[in-house]
C-alpha cells in the first residue's frame, strides 16, 4: 500500500465542489490500495523540472498533481499538491519542484514555479542608505544574508522582505512565502535572533545526510518540525475524508506551528504552564496534547477541563473533530479523555467519593453536614444574610462580591472550620486588610451563610469543589491512589482557589501531571492566585506563545493597546508582558466611531451590519455585536430589529446560524467572528459602573484590570473587521487605541 502525504498549500482543493471532492477521495482510496492500477493513470511528465512529479486521473476533466518518492525501505510515498482541470494540471506539474532546503533541512514543494537557485544572493548595495531610509528589517539590524544564508529563505522573497518599509508591507511579503518562511519573517519583525528562529522552527545544522539517497533525504525531511507546517501523513481513510471535505488544508486539526507541536509532544517533569495572548493557539495545543497522551496510553485517565460548560462543549467538539476514534470518558477517572467544565468536574468527583465525603465534611466544616443536591450560585444567599445579620461589618465589605471571594480564597482554601482558625490565618493576595473585630464580623456572616444553605438544602459551587478536593485527599491518604493520570486545563487564568485545590488533588505530582494553558491578560473573573500555594510548582516550566493566528495585525495592535499602562501578573506573580506578540495576517484598521446619542449609535451599527450582509460570501453568524451588559444586549437586539436588521441574542444557548449575533463581552469569551462591533464603549458602560460601585477602594485597581481585560478579550474576537462605537464620551479604557 502506498503512503499518502497532504500538502497544506494545496490551492486546488478549496475551490472544488462537493462532487469533485468525492471523486478525489475515491482516487486516493484506490491510490492507497494499489498505486499501479491502470485506472489511476499515474503518469510521469516528459520534460518536467522534477522527475518525481506525477499526474493522476480523478475523472476525464480533473487531474491530481503529486510527487512520487521511493524509499527502498518502505512502500512509495505520494505527496499530493492539489487537483486542477486537465490542461492546468499539466502546466503546473511541468514546473513543480520538491526539494530539501540546503540551509535548514525543511522539505519544500513548489507548484507552478521552480525552486530557488542555491547560488549566492545578490551583492549588497555599494552605498548603504541612511538610517532614516532603512527598511523595516534593516532598521532592526538584519541583512539579506541573514535571511538567505542564515534561515534559507528564497532569495526573491528575502529581497522583497528586506525592501518592506513597514510591518504591514512585511506581512504582505510573508504571506507570499511557504508556511515556515512566513513564520520566520514574522519572528524577524520582532528582532528575534537568527539562531533562536532556527531553534523555534527545528531547523537542522546538517540538512543533508550523504549516507541517504535523495528520496530518502526527502522522507527524513518530512519528519522535521517546519516541514510539518506544510506536510502531513494521512493515516487512514476516515482522516482523509475529513481533510478533503473540510477543504482547509492549513486547518488546526492537521498542521501545527513547530513551537505548538513542541508543547504537544514534550514530556515535562511536573506541572507546565503555557501562556500566550488571545489567538496564539493555546487551546489548539491543549486539544492536541490530550489526544497525544491518549494515543500514547489508551488506558490513561485524562481530564480536559476549562472555566465553564460552554467552553468545555467547544473543547469536546474540537477534540472529537480532531480524532473521532478517541475514547471519550463519561466520568472523571474512567479510561479515556473526560471533557467538562470545572464545576461539572467537581460534581462528578464528589459523586464518586463514597464514604470519603463524610470525612471531607468533617475536615472542611468541623462537623458532619447533610447537603442538599441542589447546586446554586451564592450571591442571593450572601445578600440575604448581610441584610438580616447585624454583624457590624462595614457596608462596603458586606457585599456578595467581597464575602464570596473571602469565603473561597481564604475560608475554603485553608479548610477554616472555626473562628479561632479564621482569626489567625494569613490572607495573602486579599487587597483589604481585616482587623480582628472585622474578622469576627465576617465569620458571623460565614456561619449564617452555612446555616441558610442547610435550611435551603443547597450547596454552592465552590463548596462542591472544596469538598471534592478534600475527598480526593482522603482517598489518596487511605489508598495511596489518585483518580486520574493527566490533567489539562484551558483558560486557567479565571480559576479560583477551590478550583486549583481540586486540580492538584486529582493527580499525583509528577511527569505530565498538570498542563496549564492561560493568559493572565484575559482574566475577567475572580482574583489572581499563586499556584505554588496549592502545591503546583511551575517555576522553570513556563513558556509563552506569541504568534497570533486569529486576529489581523491591525486588530491585534488595537487589542494590545487597551492593556497598555496596566500591570498584569501571572500565576506566580511574575510580570506578564505583551512584548513580541505579532500576527500572521494583515487587514483593515479598526474603525472607531463616535455617535451623538444611542439612536445614532443604533443607526450606525445597523448600517454597518447591513453593509456586511450585502457582501458576497459573508455568513450572517460570522458577524457579532458585543455589549458590556445583558440590558445593553437586549436593547441592541430590539433597536436593530426596528431598523431592519434581525439579530439573535446569545446567552447560555449555543449560537445558531442564519442571523448576526448579539451577546455580552463575557459570553463571547472563547469565540471568534469574522466581523465584530464593540458597541457602547463609552464611560457610562465601560468600565461597568455597577461592577465598580461597591468595590472596596483597596480592590478597585484589580477590578479595573478585569474591566480592561474584558475589553481586550472582546477586541480580540475579531478575525478581520473590528468596529468600536460609542455615544457621548468614549471610555477611558480605550486609552490611546487608534
Amino acid at each position: 500500500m502506498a503512503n499518502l502525504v497532504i500538502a497544506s498549500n494545496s490551492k486546488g482543493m478549496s475551490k472544488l465542489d462537493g462532487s469533485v471532492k468525492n471523486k478525489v477521495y475515491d482516487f486516493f482510496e484506490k491510490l492507497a490500495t494499489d498505486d499501479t492500477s491502470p485506472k489511476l493513470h499515474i503518469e510521469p511528465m516528459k520534460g518536467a523540472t522534477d522527475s518525481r512529479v506525477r499526474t493522476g486521473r480523478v475523472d476525464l476533466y480533473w487531474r491530481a498533481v503529486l510527487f512520487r518518492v521511493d524509499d527502498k525501505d518502505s512502500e512509495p510515498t505520494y505527496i499530493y499538491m492539489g487537483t486542477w482541470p486537465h490542461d492546468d494540471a499539466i502546466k503546473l506539474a511541468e514546473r513543480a519542484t520538491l526539494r530539501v532546503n540546503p540551509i535548514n533541512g525543511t522539505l519544500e514543494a513548489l507548484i507552478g514555479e521552480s525552486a530557488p537557485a542555491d547560488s549566492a544572493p545578490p551583492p549588497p548595495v555599494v552605498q548603504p542608505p541612511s538610517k532614516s531610509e532603512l527598511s523595516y528589517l534593516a532598521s532592526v539590524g538584519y541583512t539579506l544574508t541573514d535571511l538567505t544564508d542564515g534561515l534559507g529563505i528564497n532569495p526573491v522573497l528575502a529581497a522583497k522582505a528586506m525592501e518592506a518599509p513597514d510591518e504591514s508591507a512585511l506581512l504582505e511579503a510573508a504571506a507570499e512565502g511557504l508556511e515556515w518562511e512566513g513564520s520566520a519573517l514574522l519572528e524577524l519583525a520582532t528582532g528575534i535572533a537568527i539562531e533562536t528562529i532556527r531553534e523555534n522552527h527545528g531547523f537542522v545544522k546538517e540538512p543533508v545526510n550523504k549516507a541517504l539517497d535523495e528520496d530518502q533525504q526527502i522522507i527524513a525531511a518530512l519528519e522535521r518540525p517546519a516541514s510539518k507546517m506544510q506536510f502531513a501523513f494521512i493515516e487512514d481513510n476516515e482522516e482523509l475524508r475529513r481533510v478533503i471535505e473540510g477543504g482547509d488544508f492549513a486547518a488546526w486539526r492537521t498542521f501545527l506551528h513547530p513551537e505548538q507541536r513542541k508543547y504537544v509532544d514534550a514530556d515535562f517533569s511536573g506541572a507546565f504552564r503555557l501562556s500566550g495572548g488571545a489567538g496564539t493557539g493555546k487551546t489548539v495545543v491543549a486539544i492536541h496534547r490530550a489526544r497525544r497522551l491518549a494515543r500514547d496510553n489508551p488506558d490513561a485517565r485524562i481530564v480536559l477541563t476549562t472555566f465553564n460548560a460552554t467552553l468545555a462543549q467547544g473543547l469536546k467538539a474540537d477534540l472529537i473533530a480532531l480524532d473521532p476514534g478517541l475514547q471519550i470518558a463519561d466520568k472523571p477517572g474512567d479510561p479515556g479523555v473526560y471533557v467538562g467544565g470545572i464545576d461539572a468536574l467537581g460534581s462528578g468527583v464528589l459523586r464518586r467519593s463514597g464514604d470519603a465525603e463524610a470525612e471531607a465534611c468533617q475536615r472542611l466544616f468541623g462537623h458532619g453536614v447533610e447537603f442538599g443536591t441542589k447546586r446554586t450560585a451564592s450571591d442571593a444567599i450572601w445578600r440575604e444574610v448581610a441584610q438580616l445579620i447585624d454583624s457590624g461589618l462595614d457596608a462596603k465589605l458586606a457585599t456578595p462580591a467581597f464575602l464570596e471571594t473571602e469565603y473561597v480564597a481564604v475560608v475554603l482554601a485553608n479548610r477554616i472550620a472555626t473562628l479561632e482558625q479564621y482569626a489567625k490565618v494569613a490572607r495573602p493576595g486579599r487587597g483589604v486588610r481585616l482587623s480582628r473585630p472585622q474578622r469576627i464580623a465576617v465569620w458571623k456572616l460565614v456561619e449564617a451563610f452555612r446555616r441558610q444553605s442547610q435550611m435551603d438544602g443547597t450547596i454552592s459551587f465552590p463548596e462542591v469543589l472544596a469538598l471534592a478536593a478534600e475527598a480526593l485527599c482522603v482517598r489518596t491518604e487511605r489508598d495511596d491512589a489518585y483518580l486520574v493520570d493527566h490533567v489539562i486545563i484551558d483558560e486557567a487564568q479565571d480559576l479560583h482557589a477551590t478550583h486549583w485545590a481540586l486540580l492538584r488533588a486529582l493527580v499525583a505530582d509528577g511527569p505530565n501531571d498538570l498542563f496549564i494553558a492561560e493568559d493572565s491578560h484575559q482574566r475577567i473573573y475572580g482574583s489572581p492566585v499563586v499556584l505554588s500555594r496549592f502545591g503546583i510548582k511551575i517555576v522553570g516550566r513556563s513558556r509563552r506563545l506569541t504568534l497570533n493566528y486569529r486576529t489581523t495585525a491591525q486588530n491585534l495592535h488595537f487589542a494590545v493597546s487597551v492593556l497598555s499602562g496596566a500591570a498584569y501578573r501571572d500565576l506566580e506573580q511574575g510580570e506578564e508582558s505583551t512584548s513580541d506578540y505579532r500576527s500572521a495576517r494583515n487587514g483593515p484598521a479598526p474603525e472607531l466611531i463616535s455617535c451623538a446619542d444611542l439612536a445614532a449609535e443604533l443607526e450606525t451599527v445597523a448600517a454597518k451590519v447591513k453593509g456586511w450582509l450585502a457582501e458576497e460570501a459573508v455568513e450572517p453568524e460570522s458577524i457579532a455585536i458585543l455589549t458590556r451588559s445583558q440590558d445593553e444586549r437586549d436593547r441592541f437586539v430590539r433597536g436593530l430589529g426596528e431598523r431592519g436588521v434581525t439579530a439573535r441574542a446569545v446567552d447560555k444557548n449555543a449560537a445558531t446560524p442564519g442571523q448576526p449575533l448579539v451577546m455580552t463581552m463575557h459570553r463571547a469569551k472563547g469565540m471568534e467572528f469574522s466581523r465584530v462591533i464593540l458597541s457602547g464603549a463609552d464611560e457610562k458602560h465601560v468600565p461597568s459602573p455597577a461592577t465598580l460601585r461597591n468595590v472596596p477602594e483597596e480592590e478597585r485597581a484589580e477590578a479595573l484590570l478585569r474591566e480592561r481585560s474584558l475589553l481586550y478579550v472582546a477586541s480580540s474576537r475579531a478575525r478581520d473587521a473590528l468596529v468600536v462605537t460609542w455615544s457621548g464620551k468614549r471610555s477611558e479604557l480605550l486609552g490611546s487605541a487608534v
Side-chain angles (χ1 to χ4, degrees):
M1 292 181 64
N3 301 312
L4 179 62
V5 173
I6 297 289
S8 67
N9 64 346
S10 300
K11 300 174 183 177
M13 179 58 73
S14 60
K15 298 178 181 178
L16 305 179
D17 63 32
S19 63
V20 179
K21 288 182 180 180
N22 287 333
K23 292 178 181 179
V24 172
Y25 175 77
D26 293 338
F27 170 81
F28 282 140
E29 271 197 320
K30 295 171 184 175
L31 177 67
T33 302
D34 180 10
D35 66 305
T36 65
S37 171
K39 295 181 180 179
L40 296 173
H41 291 265
I42 302 294
E43 300 167 356
M45 301 287 301
K46 291 183 180 180
T49 302
D50 193 320
S51 62
R52 300 178 190 84
V53 76
R54 302 286 189 274
T55 63
R57 179 185 289 178
V58 174
D59 65 12
L60 291 175
Y61 181 75
W62 296 94
R63 293 193 75 85
V65 177
L66 316 97
F67 293 100
R68 173 177 169 138
V69 183
D70 291 308
D71 182 355
K72 61 185 178 182
D73 296 327
S74 67
E75 298 294 329
T77 296
Y78 287 90
I79 300 176
Y80 171 73
M81 299 302 296
T83 296
W84 289 270
H86 180 279
D87 293 349
D88 293 339
I90 298 300
K91 292 178 181 178
L92 290 169
E94 286 174 345
R95 293 183 294 157
T97 55
L98 182 70
R99 71 160 197 168
V100 177
N101 187 294
I103 303 297
N104 58 46
T106 300
L107 187 63
E108 299 176 340
L110 303 173
I111 281 288
E113 56 184 302
S114 300
D118 295 337
S119 58
V125 178
V126 176
Q127 293 295 332
S130 65
K131 190 171 183 65
S132 62
E133 298 173 334
L134 288 177
S135 69
Y136 187 81
L137 289 182
S139 66
V140 184
Y142 297 115
T143 66
L144 185 62
T145 302
D146 288 330
L147 276 62
T148 55
D149 295 2
L151 295 174
I153 293 175
N154 181 323
V156 175
L157 176 64
K160 185 170 185 177
M162 286 301 302
E163 292 170 358
D166 52 35
E167 184 178 3
S168 179
L170 181 62
L171 281 174
E172 292 178 4
E176 297 178 10
L178 300 172
E179 281 81 354
W180 72 262
E181 289 177 315
S183 174
L185 287 174
L186 291 171
E187 292 199 349
L188 286 169
T190 61
I192 297 177
I194 297 294
E195 279 307 310
T196 302
I197 296 174
R198 291 183 61 89
E199 180 182 346
N200 289 346
H201 289 79
F203 293 161
V204 293
K205 293 184 178 179
E206 300 293 335
V208 178
N209 183 347
K210 295 182 179 179
L212 302 177
D213 64 32
E214 196 169 337
D215 278 12
Q216 288 175 317
Q217 291 173 18
I218 288 173
I219 296 297
L222 278 169
E223 295 300 324
R224 291 175 183 142
S227 299
K228 291 180 179 180
M229 296 179 73
Q230 185 181 1
F231 304 99
F233 278 98
I234 301 299
E235 299 181 6
D236 54 47
N237 288 343
E238 189 59 36
E239 182 177 10
L240 174 61
R241 182 174 289 281
R242 293 200 311 276
V243 171
I244 291 175
E245 290 178 350
D248 181 4
F249 281 17
W252 61 268
R253 299 178 189 174
T254 309
F255 302 96
L256 294 176
H257 187 281
E259 195 172 10
Q260 292 176 324
R261 190 175 296 279
K262 176 169 62 177
Y263 301 125
V264 170
D265 294 337
D267 290 316
F268 303 105
S269 58
F272 179 84
R273 168 185 174 255
L274 182 65
S275 67
T280 53
K282 302 180 298 300
T283 299
V284 171
V285 172
I287 292 168
H288 275 265
R289 186 168 177 83
R291 180 205 198 196
R292 196 274 287 185
L293 292 172
R295 283 191 163 191
D296 286 353
N297 178 11
D299 295 324
R301 302 160 301 169
I302 302 166
V303 164
L304 174 60
T305 190
T306 187
F307 178 72
N308 62 33
T310 301
L311 295 175
Q313 290 171 2
L315 287 178
K316 190 172 184 178
D318 286 344
L319 182 62
I320 293 172
L322 175 65
D323 190 345
L326 203 65
Q327 183 176 355
I328 303 297
D330 292 328
K331 297 179 291 187
D334 288 349
V337 183
Y338 170 85
V339 188
I342 195 160
D343 288 330
L345 171 63
S347 296
V349 169
L350 197 58
R351 282 193 294 270
R352 300 192 65 161
S353 62
D355 60 357
E357 182 179 346
E359 187 170 343
C361 280
Q362 187 68 36
R363 294 184 182 185
L364 204 61
F365 300 105
H367 53 80
V369 179
E370 290 293 331
F371 283 106
T373 57
K374 182 181 178 182
R375 311 297 193 241
T376 182
S378 49
D379 277 13
I381 301 177
W382 284 118
R383 187 173 292 105
E384 183 178 353
V385 299
Q387 291 172 350
L388 295 178
I389 302 299
D390 184 15
S391 65
L393 189 63
D394 301 344
K396 277 213 165 186
L397 299 182
T399 64
F402 177 83
L403 293 170
E404 172 77 353
T405 305
E406 183 75 5
Y407 187 49
V408 172
V410 179
V411 177
L412 292 177
N414 292 283
R415 304 178 181 88
I416 301 297
T418 66
L419 172 60
E420 288 72 21
Q421 293 172 327
Y422 180 60
K424 297 176 182 177
V425 71
R427 302 170 59 253
R430 299 293 285 137
V432 180
R433 293 184 179 183
L434 295 181
S435 64
R436 181 174 178 81
Q438 286 176 314
R439 291 199 187 203
I440 293 172
V442 170
W443 190 253
K444 286 181 181 179
L445 296 174
V446 168
E447 290 183 319
F449 174 87
R450 289 178 168 177
R451 286 195 304 270
Q452 189 64 46
S453 296
Q454 288 285 288
M455 290 187 290
D456 293 343
T458 62
I459 179 173
S460 70
F461 290 108
E463 288 172 326
V464 171
L465 293 161
L467 271 175
E470 198 60 38
L472 287 171
C473 293
V474 171
R475 168 186 170 143
T476 300
E477 293 167 9
R478 183 186 301 166
D479 305 329
D480 193 26
Y482 287 84
L483 188 64
V484 304
D485 302 302
H486 310 287
V487 178
I488 300 169
I489 309 111
D490 192 31
E491 300 288 355
Q493 70 277 352
D494 283 321
L495 303 186
H496 57 58
T498 57
H499 291 137
W500 290 111
L502 171 67
L503 295 169
R504 177 67 283 172
L506 273 171
V507 59
D509 185 358
N512 296 330
D513 55 348
L514 293 164
F515 185 91
I516 302 162
E518 68 94 31
D519 177 14
S520 296
H521 293 116
Q522 294 189 67
R523 185 189 301 116
I524 59 177
Y525 298 100
S527 302
V529 299
V530 178
L531 291 187
S532 58
R533 294 171 185 160
F534 302 92
I536 301 172
K537 301 172 184 177
I538 57 172
V539 175
R541 292 191 297 268
S542 184
R543 298 293 185 272
R544 185 162 64 107
L545 296 174
T546 57
L547 178 59
N548 184 299
Y549 296 89
R550 175 202 301 149
T551 308
T552 63
Q554 292 77 10
N555 292 347
L556 178 63
H557 174 74
F558 175 89
V560 170
S561 71
V562 169
L563 302 173
S564 63
Y568 286 82
R569 298 286 174 179
D570 63 23
L571 293 174
E572 282 301 324
Q573 287 298 291
E575 184 178 349
E576 192 73 286
S577 172
T578 59
S579 64
D580 299 336
Y581 281 175
R582 62 204 190 280
S583 171
R585 302 175 57 235
N586 238 336
E591 293 184 65
L592 278 68
I593 304 175
S594 175
C595 305
D597 51 33
L598 178 59
E601 186 174 3
L602 285 167
E603 291 288 351
T604 298
V605 173
K608 182 63 65 175
V609 173
K610 287 177 181 178
W612 286 336
L613 291 174
E615 294 179 17
E616 187 177 353
V618 173
E619 300 293 338
E621 63 274 13
S622 71
I623 299 171
I625 299 97
L626 308 184
T627 66
R628 177 59 186 86
S629 68
Q630 292 184 3
D631 287 344
E632 282 297 294
R633 176 200 66 194
D634 296 341
R635 187 174 293 116
F636 266 81
V637 170
R638 291 192 302 270
L640 290 174
E642 293 166 357
R643 289 160 177 80
V645 176
T646 302
R648 178 180 178 83
V650 179
D651 194 1
K652 294 182 179 179
N653 54 302
T656 55
Q659 295 175 336
L661 307 174
V662 187
M663 65 189 75
T664 66
M665 296 178 185
H666 283 91
R667 178 62 178 83
K669 186 179 180 66
M671 304 177 74
E672 61 180 68
F673 306 93
S674 174
R675 293 157 172 80
V676 169
I677 298 176
L678 302 186
S679 61
D682 52 66
E683 63 179 359
K684 293 181 180 179
H685 300 99
V686 180
S688 167
T691 299
L692 300 179
R693 187 174 298 121
N694 294 317
V695 173
E697 189 60 37
E698 297 89 339
E699 296 183 353
R700 184 177 177 83
E702 179 61 35
L704 278 172
L705 277 185
R706 290 195 296 272
E707 290 289 307
R708 194 179 293 275
S709 292
L710 182 60
L711 198 57
Y712 167 69
V713 168
S715 304
S716 58
R717 300 308 95 190
R719 292 194 302 267
D720 304 308
L722 174 65
V723 176
V724 185
T725 67
W726 65 88
S727 56
K729 186 176 180 181
R730 84 181 202 170
S731 169
E732 62 180 10
L733 297 187
L734 292 179
S736 59
V738 293

